[in-house]
Amino acid sequence: MSGAREKKRAKKMRNQPASVTLPAEPGPFPGGGSRACPPSGDVRSEQQYQQQKFSNQSSGPSYRKDQYFPKGQNRGERGRGRGGWQGGRVSEEMPKYITVSTFAQARAAEINAMLKAVAQKSSNSLVFQTLPRHMRRRAMSHNIKRLPRRLQEIARKEAEKAVHQKKEQSKTKCRKARRRHINLVAEFNRRQRKNIWLETHIWHAKRFHMVKKWGYCLGDSPTEKSYRACYRAMTKHCLLQDLSYYCCLELTGKENELLKQLARICSIDTGLTFEEACCLSGRFEGSLNLYRADRYPEDMLGPITFIWKPRDGSENRQLWIWMHPALKQDMLRELKAVFQCSEPEEIYIPEPITTTIQEEKQVDVVLSLGKKRKKEDKEGEKAVPVKKIIGDGTRDPFQSYSWISQTTGIVISDRTMEILRYRLIGPLSHSVLTETLKAASLQTEVADSETELNNWWVENCKDSEKVSLHQRQSAIFELLEGMSSPSEMPPGTILGLTVGDPRVNLPKKKTKAMPDFEKYQDNDKVRQLYLEGVPVDCAHSFIWDQDICKNVTENKISEQDLNHMRAQLLVPGSHLDLGPCESKIPILLVQQPGKMAGEDRPGWGSGWDIYLPKGWGMAFWIPFIYRGVRVGGLQEALKHSEYQRTPHAPNDFPDCQAGMQFAKELETSLLEKFKRRPPAKRANYVKLGTLSPFVCPWGQLTKNWEGRMKASGEFVHPSSPHPELCATEGHSFCDSKAEVVKEASPETGEVEETMEIISSEGVLKTEDVIGAQEFGERDETMTTSDFIVLRSEKLLMQLSAWCYPTAGKDRRLRLISRLGQKEMTEDVFLPILMSYPRALVWVNLSLLRKGNPELHAMICIPAEDDLVHLSKDKLFCGPQEPKHRDIFKHKVQKLKEEKKKKKKDNTKALESDPPSVPDKKTTEEHEDLILGLWSDALPDITSHCSRTLLGYVTRGDFSLAAGCGEALGFVSLTGLLYMLYNQPADKKGLVLLRTPASLQYRFARLNIEV
């Protein structure tokens, strides 16, 4: 019996009593029976029939003759039914006994089902769509009389029903009405309730792949092919990025009180602090890492940059702290706790602003248009905001934005999205600035007494000191045109400036900004600017004053008015001179130093950050575009930091909450992508020896290295007088011989068995000494980190000197003596190990030859044989990892068989009982059981493979800057010291890299840049 007939019969017999069978139906078989009838002369239950049917089916293959034809019987003696099945003579007699109530219930259920099927339509098609194709006419869709008379009444009911269900049509449904500016603004504001748009969102949405992150809608990467073009722009011209989504917290109060509390959340051990003299004066921007109060080096909060407002004679100082939006909530909470700031009694409700004056004049018009297009929903009138909402993606727009301390008077203000921030990267970024921006002209009279346009500028122009300051700032700004690169300026230089409206200076077509060397090549002022930088007083800007920023935003000339003025020019395309009506905008220019660590490519990626008042985003963006810059998104920012070899927030900060959250989300997305692949196309990571392909278990890594050190008792080397301390397998610091044994016969199948034994022993030892970490417990470690990242500049410089590559005779000794560092002895590094038993070190790796490192690639320690082989053969790529045995394969197969068996049982019991609910415990046990992934407790990850694991790669790719594969990641401090201590003098810093889906190791050079 075919599968379709079985299902049909099971459905028909579902409500039948067990003691009754249906009478024989007419069919092609003798006696009027059909294949669906049970082959028996007496009355039998349907359950017995099904059991016999399944036993007949399972007795042998379907193609065997003896399955259908008994001995002595040929095909001609049987019925001609399809399949040739004959169950014998079927009884046509009525059953002798029936249960009336059960029989009546079964018939009633059938009648109800039949009536329901007749009353309800089985499809969503209309009446005229049910007709044969040759009878259909186009007019039937709107003219009921074209239908056959028998269907006209049904069609009339359908038409009445459709009229009632039809939604109220919009009165402004035409495109012309939808594209009106006032309606567009209302629609755009409705669409950015959950994820805030930047001011350049519309421009980006037409040219970029957009992603929703951290409460914002951001451009991820350009839709055009521009990977190499963006790199060329960063290297030779200019790349533009919108960083307005970065968060700004403003601290206002007495300088001593600010410094006293800020010193608790940072450490001088890591470099700069808020008290740095050059930063405290306001001349330079500073950057540092914040920690929870008095918790260094634990409880990392994240990296920040800060700017002090230059002293102006007042007792109070202002400080801007800029941070990534993923870090904002943790930092704001800590700052409020440190300064003891409380919520204000009245919650601040932001005043709506407009980007044009005409929007303010048309408020009543918008309110009257509210009924036209939208739309009543749960929020009622709030569904369509009239004007753009102030706020950002990291807070509720109706949440308070300012907190004050009752004891010290320090005020913390959230100025996110109040100050826009653009970044220009590249050697010609200053040329783009000087061509786009022009210093504001002096003005002593108010242009229009009715408006407050430029009132603040007129007042400041009456002060001779401020006029003199503005002229000095303008002179320094013009000197930038003669520089060959922003990296020639002192790092973090700040220049304040007031400029005119950049929309007035737009070129007729796109041009490429180039420096003018002839004008300033031999100028002494340029050389003085190189050496001394910008004076302190020239770092002042009016952008620090919130009232001035509000005035500038509200009195901006609209694009419509500006275009109307252009249309009235006598000579089309000539320069538009607005005179005293031209807006004056305060800005702040901050130099970005680019690549500072390391010896290669100094100053690469340098540029300028420009800070603007809100509302002026597109007014500056389009003029920058017309100077030939290329625009980048989040991916270009990631590549910029990768080529600089600097950590990128929050990806490369695994010891802070945002970094842990990022790792968790990345693991989820990679696991889902892995599950979407067909099983035959998935990599079997268990066989490849990759325990954790989608996340880096930093806590487990540092824990295992600490366990190895404790098991060995001390830092033992091969000439140790106590070799018995090296007996513990999986935790020894001198187990290089064991690794050699593993590789003794790589071509035989015994190696796989050896790897299996060692791995299983590693599991046992880990459970005894360290304690196994369950798969479900890994989520708990994501909330509280049990490791730290080493950020002490002194120690990092020491480590950098120890792993510096040796190219010539005694070069290491000369380098160490030059840096004033000590030689690597036990007396030097053992105190470091005792102080930081579970620490990670940020490293960069360059592949010696071919190879392309990938995300979560493993950094391993090479064995002695590997280094000997490399010395003999310079073209040696690297060793290979022997295949591991998949110990979970039989569990997955068993699970598949159980599923098949359950499915078969459910099919058998379909007509009698409802399908049984699967056991919850069994489901939970096999929930994480996926073929190719390690589903059990993680063993000792350092000794699971033939090469000892040292760390993981967080970012890796082929570097266009270096011309080879480069990777960035973290290694265990304990493992790094062990490797450097045991390596030969001419091979220090050599490691092995292996991608998660490969068995091939490749040699790489490890460096620590400070």
Side-chain angles (χ1 to χ4, degrees), residues 173-277:
K173 61 181 179 180
C174 66
R175 188 178 187 276
K176 183 179 179 182
R178 290 198 310 269
R179 298 300 297 175
R180 285 195 189 109
H181 180 70
I182 197 75
N183 291 338
L184 276 179
V185 171
E187 177 67 12
F188 290 162
N189 289 342
R190 181 190 66 82
R191 286 165 56 186
Q192 56 176 313
R193 279 187 228 149
K194 290 184 178 179
N195 295 282
I196 301 298
W197 292 358
L198 306 183
E199 291 190 13
T200 58
H201 172 84
I202 302 296
W203 190 95
H204 277 91
K206 296 176 180 179
R207 299 164 178 87
F208 275 69
H209 298 288
M210 307 301 289
V211 293
K212 293 175 182 177
K213 281 188 174 183
W214 313 303
Y216 298 95
C217 202
L218 306 174
D220 189 49
S221 60
T223 53
E224 62 179 354
K225 291 183 180 179
S226 59
Y227 180 80
R228 289 177 178 269
C230 287
Y231 169 73
R232 284 196 299 269
M234 285 188 280
T235 307
K236 297 179 180 179
H237 192 249
C238 183
L239 183 82
L240 176 63
Q241 290 177 326
D242 189 354
L243 300 184
S244 302
Y245 62 92
Y246 266 62
C247 302
C248 177
L249 297 179
E250 182 182 86
L251 275 63
T252 308
K254 295 181 180 180
E255 181 179 318
N256 293 334
E257 291 291 339
L258 287 172
L259 292 176
K260 180 182 177 182
Q261 299 301 330
L262 289 173
R264 298 175 56 197
I265 58 176
C266 61
S267 173
I268 198 172
D269 193 30
T270 60
L272 292 177
T273 63
F274 291 100
E275 300 180 21
E276 191 69 28

Side-chain angles (χ1 to χ4, degrees), residues 680-943:
K681 304 298 181 185
R682 298 175 188 168
N684 192 323
Y685 291 110
V686 179
K687 287 187 175 181
L688 294 169
T690 306
L691 292 174
S692 183
F694 306 135
V695 68
C696 301
W698 302 117
Q700 180 88 348
L701 177 70
T702 54
K703 195 175 183 181
N704 292 156
W705 272 108
E706 185 189 22
R708 290 168 69 101
M709 186 179 68
K710 288 181 179 177
S712 64
E714 59 177 327
F715 224 75
V716 187
H717 49 86
S719 59
S720 171
H722 303 286
E724 65 273 9
L725 295 175
C726 304
T728 310
E729 183 177 349
H731 307 285
S732 172
F733 276 87
C734 55
D735 54 353
S736 56
K737 291 183 180 179
E739 293 178 352
V740 172
V741 172
K742 296 174 194 175
E743 300 175 45
S745 54
E747 69 276 2
T748 61
E750 297 177 0
V751 174
E752 295 186 15
E753 297 176 5
T754 308
M755 293 304 300
E756 175 197 350
I757 293 168
I758 289 167
S759 300
S760 62
E761 286 179 3
V763 173
L764 295 174
K765 293 294 180 183
T766 309
E767 289 174 356
D768 295 338
V769 181
I770 302 172
Q773 187 179 18
E774 295 294 334
F775 186 80
E777 293 175 0
R778 274 187 275 181
D779 294 340
E780 299 176 6
T781 61
M782 299 299 288
T783 55
T784 56
S785 67
D786 51 355
F787 61 91
I788 64 168
V789 176
L790 185 67
R791 295 188 175 90
S792 170
E793 280 195 350
K794 184 179 178 182
L795 292 179
L796 288 176
M797 289 183 69
Q798 181 72 74
L799 290 172
S800 176
W802 285 341
C803 63
Y804 201 86
T806 305
K809 187 179 179 181
D810 297 331
R811 182 178 175 185
R812 172 170 302 281
L813 299 175
R814 293 201 305 269
L815 174 73
I816 292 176
S817 61
R818 187 181 68 187
L819 296 177
Q821 304 296 339
K822 302 175 182 177
E823 277 289 343
M824 190 175 188
T825 59
E826 290 189 11
D827 297 336
V828 177
F829 64 73
L830 280 179
I832 301 176
L833 281 179
M834 295 300 109
S835 303
Y836 302 98
R838 293 190 184 183
L840 297 174
V841 182
W842 173 258
V843 297
N844 65 80
L845 305 110
S846 301
L847 289 172
L848 296 188
R849 286 169 190 83
K850 66 178 184 179
N852 193 18
E854 297 177 2
L855 179 68
H856 300 152
M858 289 162 280
I859 308 170
C860 302
I861 301 175
E864 290 182 12
D865 288 356
D866 302 334
L867 299 177
V868 171
H869 197 166
L870 181 64
S871 301
K872 293 178 180 179
D873 183 8
K874 297 297 181 183
L875 299 178
F876 178 52
C877 293
Q880 266 201 329
E881 173 73 16
K883 275 191 178 181
H884 295 237
R885 193 175 70 86
D886 190 354
I887 60 175
F888 302 102
K889 190 174 181 180
H890 67 283
K891 293 183 180 179
V892 177
Q893 291 175 347
K894 188 178 179 181
L895 179 63
K896 282 184 179 180
E897 291 174 2
E898 289 178 0
K899 285 183 178 179
K900 285 183 181 179
K901 189 177 179 181
K902 280 184 181 179
K903 190 177 180 181
K904 196 173 181 180
D905 294 342
N906 289 338
T907 308
K908 286 182 180 179
L910 186 64
E911 70 283 353
S912 57
D913 299 323
S916 58
V917 181
D919 189 9
K920 289 185 178 180
K921 292 183 180 179
T922 311
T923 310
E924 290 175 359
E925 284 178 7
H926 300 292
E927 199 174 43
D928 298 323
L929 197 61
I930 304 170
L931 184 64
L933 295 182
W934 192 277
S935 305
D936 208 345
L938 284 182
D940 186 351
I941 58 177
T942 59
S943 59

Side-chain angles (χ1 to χ4, degrees), residues 388-645:
K388 191 170 183 178
I389 299 172
I390 295 180
D392 62 273
T394 59
R395 64 168 175 157
D396 184 6
F398 297 99
Q399 181 186 347
S400 57
Y401 79 114
S402 181
W403 302 266
I404 187 170
S405 172
Q406 302 296 335
T407 56
T408 59
I410 291 174
V411 179
I412 301 176
S413 302
D414 186 1
R415 297 202 67 187
T416 306
M417 299 291 289
E418 299 288 311
I419 305 294
L420 307 182
R421 183 177 175 184
Y422 294 160
R423 175 164 291 177
L424 296 165
I425 303 169
L428 299 185
S429 54
H430 56 279
S431 301
V432 174
L433 282 176
T434 52
E435 285 196 21
T436 307
L437 309 178
K438 301 298 177 184
S441 58
L442 300 177
Q443 183 179 348
T444 55
E445 295 181 0
V446 180
D448 188 0
S449 58
E450 295 181 1
T451 63
E452 297 181 356
L453 179 66
N454 297 335
N455 283 359
W456 64 275
W457 183 243
V458 173
E459 292 295 327
N460 285 300
C461 286
K462 294 177 181 178
D463 189 344
S464 59
E465 291 184 1
K466 293 183 179 178
V467 170
S468 174
L469 175 62
H470 175 67
Q471 292 173 347
R472 292 200 303 275
Q473 289 175 336
S474 304
I476 292 175
F477 181 68
E478 292 176 0
L479 289 176
L480 296 179
E481 193 176 356
M483 291 189 174
S484 60
S485 174
S487 60
E488 296 177 355
M489 294 283 290
T493 299
I494 297 175
L495 175 63
L497 194 63
T498 304
V499 298
D501 195 332
R503 296 173 292 177
V504 177
N505 304 321
L506 272 181
K508 293 181 182 179
K509 61 180 182 179
K510 272 190 178 182
T511 58
K512 200 165 187 178
M514 300 299 292
D516 187 0
F517 295 108
E518 297 179 358
K519 190 175 181 182
Y520 299 107
Q521 193 169 10
D522 298 328
N523 199 326
D524 294 336
K525 293 182 179 178
V526 177
R527 293 198 206 96
Q528 186 179 0
L529 188 61
Y530 288 160
L531 299 174
E532 299 178 3
V534 178
V536 179
D537 53 350
C538 292
H540 178 270
S541 174
F542 293 107
I543 199 173
W544 289 93
D545 193 330
Q546 296 189 29
D547 295 331
I548 292 178
C549 288
K550 186 178 180 182
N551 184 308
V552 171
T553 301
E554 291 177 351
N555 294 289
K556 173 191 171 188
I557 301 175
S558 67
E559 290 285 344
Q560 185 178 4
D561 293 342
L562 208 60
N563 292 333
H564 185 65
M565 294 177 191
R566 288 195 183 107
Q568 293 178 345
L569 289 172
L570 292 177
V571 181
S574 59
H575 179 71
L576 177 63
D577 187 10
L578 297 179
C581 294
E582 183 180 359
S583 299
K584 310 297 187 295
I585 308 105
I587 65 171
L588 200 65
L589 298 174
V590 180
Q591 190 260 6
Q592 296 298 318
K595 190 176 185 301
M596 299 179 66
E599 297 181 352
D600 57 328
R601 309 193 313 275
W604 186 93
S606 60
W608 291 89
D609 280 7
I610 175 170
Y611 296 83
L612 314 167
K614 67 180 177 184
W616 283 88
M618 289 304 297
F620 280 76
W621 188 265
I622 297 301
F624 283 144
I625 301 297
Y626 267 74
R627 265 64 185 193
V629 302
R630 184 168 284 274
V631 181
L634 297 178
Q635 292 300 318
E636 283 67 36
L638 196 66
K639 285 295 173 187
H640 178 239
S641 65
E642 183 177 326
Y643 289 157
Q644 289 189 96
R645 298 170 185 165

Side-chain angles (χ1 to χ4, degrees), residues 129-148:
Q129 292 172 331
T130 60
L131 288 170
R133 291 189 179 275
H134 71 279
M135 292 180 64
R136 297 183 193 178
R137 299 293 181 270
R138 186 187 304 170
M140 290 179 179
S141 59
H142 59 84
N143 189 357
I144 297 175
K145 293 184 179 180
R146 290 281 188 178
L147 284 163

Side-chain angles (χ1 to χ4, degrees), residues 35-211:
R35 277 169 36 187
C37 296
S40 173
D42 55 350
V43 179
R44 290 186 303 171
S45 66
E46 176 63 21
Q47 187 175 2
Q48 294 171 349
Y49 163 69
Q50 291 288 345
Q51 290 176 357
Q52 180 186 354
K53 173 170 66 73
F54 278 113
S55 63
N56 289 339
Q57 286 182 352
S58 60
S59 60
S62 59
Y63 54 82
R64 289 184 57 182
K65 280 187 178 182
D66 53 1
Q67 183 180 357
Y68 301 116
F69 302 102
K71 257 185 179 178
Q73 190 176 17
N74 56 20
R75 188 183 296 271
E77 298 173 1
R78 304 189 57 80
R80 294 183 175 270
R82 188 170 51 185
W85 184 85
Q86 180 72 11
R89 187 171 182 82
V90 181
S91 173
E92 297 181 6
E93 297 178 0
M94 293 294 290
K96 295 181 179 180
Y97 305 101
I98 62 170
T99 307
V100 178
S101 58
T102 312
F103 188 79
Q105 286 177 5
R107 302 289 79 72
E110 289 180 356
I111 294 170
N112 287 334
M114 181 179 64
L115 291 175
K116 187 178 180 181
V118 172
Q120 290 184 354
K121 289 197 303 178
S122 60
S123 64
N124 294 326
S125 59
L126 299 174
V127 174
F128 72 90
Q129 292 172 331
T130 60
L131 288 170
R133 291 189 179 275
H134 71 279
M135 292 180 64
R136 297 183 193 178
R137 299 293 181 270
R138 186 187 304 170
M140 290 179 179
S141 59
H142 59 84
N143 189 357
I144 297 175
K145 293 184 179 180
R146 290 281 188 178
L147 284 163
R149 287 184 179 177
R150 62 184 176 84
L151 300 177
Q152 286 183 9
E153 187 63 28
I154 303 174
R156 196 172 288 110
K157 290 180 180 179
E158 280 185 352
E160 292 175 0
K161 188 177 180 182
V163 169
H164 291 301
Q165 287 183 347
K166 190 178 292 184
K167 295 181 181 177
E168 183 182 354
Q169 287 198 352
S170 171
K171 296 181 182 178
T172 59
K173 61 181 179 180
C174 66
R175 188 178 187 276
K176 183 179 179 182
R178 290 198 310 269
R179 298 300 297 175
R180 285 195 189 109
H181 180 70
I182 197 75
N183 291 338
L184 276 179
V185 171
E187 177 67 12
F188 290 162
N189 289 342
R190 181 190 66 82
R191 286 165 56 186
Q192 56 176 313
R193 279 187 228 149
K194 290 184 178 179
N195 295 282
I196 301 298
W197 292 358
L198 306 183
E199 291 190 13
T200 58
H201 172 84
I202 302 296
W203 190 95
H204 277 91
K206 296 176 180 179
R207 299 164 178 87
F208 275 69
H209 298 288
M210 307 301 289
V211 293

